[in-house]
Amino acid sequence: MSAVLIDGKARAAALRRDVAAGVEAFVAAHGRAPGLTVVLVGDDPASAVYVGSKGKATREAGMISGEYRLPAATPEAELLALIAALNADPAVDGILVQMPLPRHIDSDRVIAAIDPAKDVDGLHPVNTGLLVSGRKGLVPCTPSGCLMLIEEAIGTIAGAEALVIGRSILVGKPMAALLLNRSATVTVAHSRTRDLAAHVARADIVVAAVGIPGMVKGEWIKPGACVIDVGINRVALPDGKTRLVGDVDFDGAVKRAGRITPVPGGVGPMTIACLLANTLKAATART
Ligand code: NDP
């Protein structure tokens, strides 16, 4: 048996088309395009690439892209003042502060300073609370994208045994809340979990968000399970080149799973698409 591949690239492209159509309707109704402003502090090259591609995707969806690139030594107070100005700017519907921030800045304080109605990363405690209590709010982009892929892959989530590996506030915890809100029976595994293999073997849905290449072994997977691999790990090859791999041993898992996301081309493209969807949602909710 070989699993059906979940095509995150195609799903993300469809979502981006839907967002672009929604933006057109928004412009027609309100005479302005939704705006997403991204703030980058410091010169981490990976973060700079992410910020660049978010800006490009924003413009491609017909929205206004704002960008602030601040020096690494920017005082926290200056960043907080910028966020206050963006909160007050009616043309800005979404604010995203690229993580990680330099060490002298308290990222919790920065996230808490963003207006929850503009918090398109879904990390503000108000949005976290809304998610956990099953009410409407802005949901973190990566787990939101994973949920769409799972829903399309298996249809009904209710009653399924779901295992989320990883408990970060960015991925694992919101993923668990989303699955619980869809009435899955959810287990959350982390670095202190005993016998991860036994948990994986029971799961109809496995979401791996750990950051360790291939740590979920193919032989652990329940036959027919839906496997969502969030991990993005760059590994060195014997020829000196590198390649991206996920947290799941893909070659083993593809033989047992029913559906599986590849890396790259699975969850990754969904994250930016969901950011655009969140920006349109925030703009619509604010009108
Ligand atoms: P974090 O490092 O914040 O969290 C990793 C989690 O994995 C922690 O909860 C940790 O447990 C858990 N963990 C570590 N070791 C083990 C183990 N041996 N067994 C079980 N659990 C373990 O990472 P993120 O959640 O931010 O990201 C996870 C992965 O997803 C990374 O590879 C990242 O690059 C990728 N990612 C991909 C995105 C995409 O768009 N596709 C977006 C965001 C992330 P504990 O809490 O106990 O330390």
Side-chain angles (χ1 to χ4, degrees):
M1 192 178 81
S2 188
V4 174
L5 290 193
I6 298 173
D7 188 346
K9 244 175 155 169
R11 181 64 189 88
L15 179 57
R16 285 168 69 156
R17 281 194 297 274
D18 289 349
V19 171
V23 168
E24 269 186 38
F26 185 95
V27 173
H30 305 289
R32 70 170 186 97
L36 169 63
T37 295
V38 179
V39 181
L40 172 65
V41 186
D43 39 27
D44 176 59
S47 294
V49 171
Y50 293 144
V51 167
S53 47
K54 284 168 186 171
K56 182 166 172 275
T58 304
R59 290 186 293 276
E60 281 170 5
M63 299 193 275
I64 310 289
S65 162
E67 212 172 277
Y68 288 83
R69 293 181 184 238
L70 309 179
T74 301
E76 183 180 290
E78 206 174 293
L79 177 59
L80 292 173
L82 172 60
I83 291 172
L86 296 172
N87 284 342
D89 184 343
V92 174
D93 298 288
I95 302 168
L96 187 151
V97 179
Q98 184 66 43
M99 299 292 161
L101 288 168
R103 275 218 294 275
H104 67 279
I105 297 179
D106 179 344
S107 52
D108 285 346
R109 197 174 297 149
V110 170
I111 290 168
I114 297 171
D115 178 350
K118 298 188 177 189
D119 167 41
V120 283
D121 243 354
L123 297 176
H124 190 286
V126 165
N127 283 316
T128 307
L130 290 170
L131 174 59
V132 170
S133 56
R135 287 178 285 166
K136 283 194 168 60
L138 290 164
V139 177
C141 304
T142 301
S144 195
C146 292
L147 185 73
M148 287 179 198
L149 296 181
I150 297 168
E151 276 182 325
E152 281 206 358
I154 67 168
T156 309
I157 292 175
E161 291 274 349
L163 173 68
V164 179
I165 314 175
R167 56 175 166 178
S168 68
I169 61 155
L170 191 63
V171 189
K173 280 181 183 160
M175 187 74 249
L178 284 169
L179 289 164
L180 184 59
N181 290 346
R182 291 290 193 284
S183 299
T185 302
V186 183
T187 302
V188 182
H190 44 77
S191 65
R192 308 292 294 274
T193 295
R194 285 194 297 259
D195 202 357
L196 182 62
H199 290 289
V200 174
R202 266 202 316 276
D204 304 306
I205 300 166
V206 178
V207 181
V210 181
I212 303 177
M215 63 95 63
V216 177
K217 303 299 168 214
E219 66 264 24
W220 298 352
I221 304 289
K222 179 176 175 177
C226 174
V227 178
I228 305 293
D229 192 349
V230 183
I232 302 180
N233 309 289
R234 189 165 286 283
V235 294
L237 298 173
D239 63 3
K241 293 188 179 143
T242 62
R243 80 179 171 114
L244 291 182
V245 300
D247 292 340
V248 177
D249 151 34
F250 183 85
D251 294 343
V254 76
K255 296 191 188 112
R256 292 174 66 90
R259 312 262 166 165
I260 188 166
T261 55
V263 176
V267 174
M270 292 301 288
T271 298
I272 285 192
C274 287
L275 174 66
L276 304 175
N278 269 357
T279 304
L280 176 60
K281 186 175 164 186
T284 307
R286 291 180 55 249
T287 53

